[in-house]
C-alpha cells in the first residue's frame, strides 16, 4: 500500500472513531432531565422518637444524594429530605415490601418520608427522570451496629 493510501486509510479510521465517540457523548447528553412542580409542603403528623424511630437527615442536590451511604439501626426511620439543588427532587426507597416515595421537594424545601426497615442493604434514588442516571443514588444500610 502506498504512503498516500496508508495516510488516507488512517485519516478515515480516525474520523470514524471521532464520529462514534461524539455520538456516544451526544446520546449521554440528550438524556431527559425533568424538573416537575413541587408538591405542597405539609406539617408532620407523627412523632419519631428513639429508640423505635430515628430521623435521618438526607440532602438531595443536582445530582447526588448525601450521604451516599445512609446508616440506621432503628426499625422505623423518618427521612428528613432537604433539597439543596436547583431542580425539584424526590426520594424513592426500594424495600422488599415495596417502593416508597417522598413528595416532590422544591429547591430549599424539606420533605419527609417514613419507612419500616428490616436489617439489610437497600437502594435509594431520585426517581425524577434523568436524575438517578446522573448520580442521584444512595445505599441504605439497616441493622444493629450500623
Amino acid at each position: 500500500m502506498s504512503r498516500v493510501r496508508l495516510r488516507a486509510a488512517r485519516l478515515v479510521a480516525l474520523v470514524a472513531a471521532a464520529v462514534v465517540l461524539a455520538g456516544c457523548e451526544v446520546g449521554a447528553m440528550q438524556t431527559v432531565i425533568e424538573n416537575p412542580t413541587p408538591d405542597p409542603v405539609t406539617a408532620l403528623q407523627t412523632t419519631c422518637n428513639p429508640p423505635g424511630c430515628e430521623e435521618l437527615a438526607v440532602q438531595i442536590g443536582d445530582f447526588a444524594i448525601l450521604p451516599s451511604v445512609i446508616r440506621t439501626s432503628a426499625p422505623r426511620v423518618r427521612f428528613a429530605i432537604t433539597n439543596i439543588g436547583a431542580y425539584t427532587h424526590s426520594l424513592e426507597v426500594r424495600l422488599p415490601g415495596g417502593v416508597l416515595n417522598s413528595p416532590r421537594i422544591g429547591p430549599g424545601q424539606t420533605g419527609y418520608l417514613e419507612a419500616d426497615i428490616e436489617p439489610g442493604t437497600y437502594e435509594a434514588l431520585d426517581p425524577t427522570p434523568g436524575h438517578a442516571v446522573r448520580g442521584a443514588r444512595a445505599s441504605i444500610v439497616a441493622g444493629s451496629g450500623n
Side-chain angles (χ1 to χ4, degrees):
M1 188 180 256
S2 73
R3 281 185 148 166
V4 172
R5 285 187 181 176
L6 184 58
R7 284 184 185 166
R10 286 181 182 162
L11 181 59
V12 168
L14 181 61
V15 169
V19 168
V20 168
L21 291 174
C24 291
E25 183 64 25
V26 169
M29 297 305 290
Q30 291 180 349
T31 300
V32 175
I33 301 172
E34 289 188 15
N35 191 20
T37 302
D39 292 326
V41 176
T42 58
L44 291 172
Q45 302 297 316
T46 61
T47 59
C48 179
N49 298 315
C53 184
E54 179 180 9
E55 187 164 297
L56 303 171
V58 176
Q59 296 178 327
I60 299 183
D62 305 330
F63 296 91
I65 297 176
L66 303 170
S68 61
V69 178
I70 303 163
R71 297 180 185 279
T72 184
S73 56
R76 181 158 188 80
V77 297
R78 174 186 289 157
F79 297 97
I81 310 148
T82 302
N83 182 343
I84 60 170
Y87 290 88
T88 297
H89 296 291
S90 181
L91 184 69
E92 178 175 289
V93 177
R94 297 180 174 181
L95 300 171
V99 175
L100 301 174
N101 285 289
S102 76
R104 291 183 303 255
I105 305 163
Q109 295 181 325
T110 298
Y112 299 90
L113 175 64
E114 292 187 7
D116 293 317
I117 298 185
E118 295 180 15
T121 301
Y122 307 102
E123 182 179 22
L125 55 89
D126 183 344
T128 309
H131 293 216
V133 73
R134 283 187 160 61
R137 297 180 167 277
S139 296
I140 300 169
V141 179
S144 61
N146 292 310

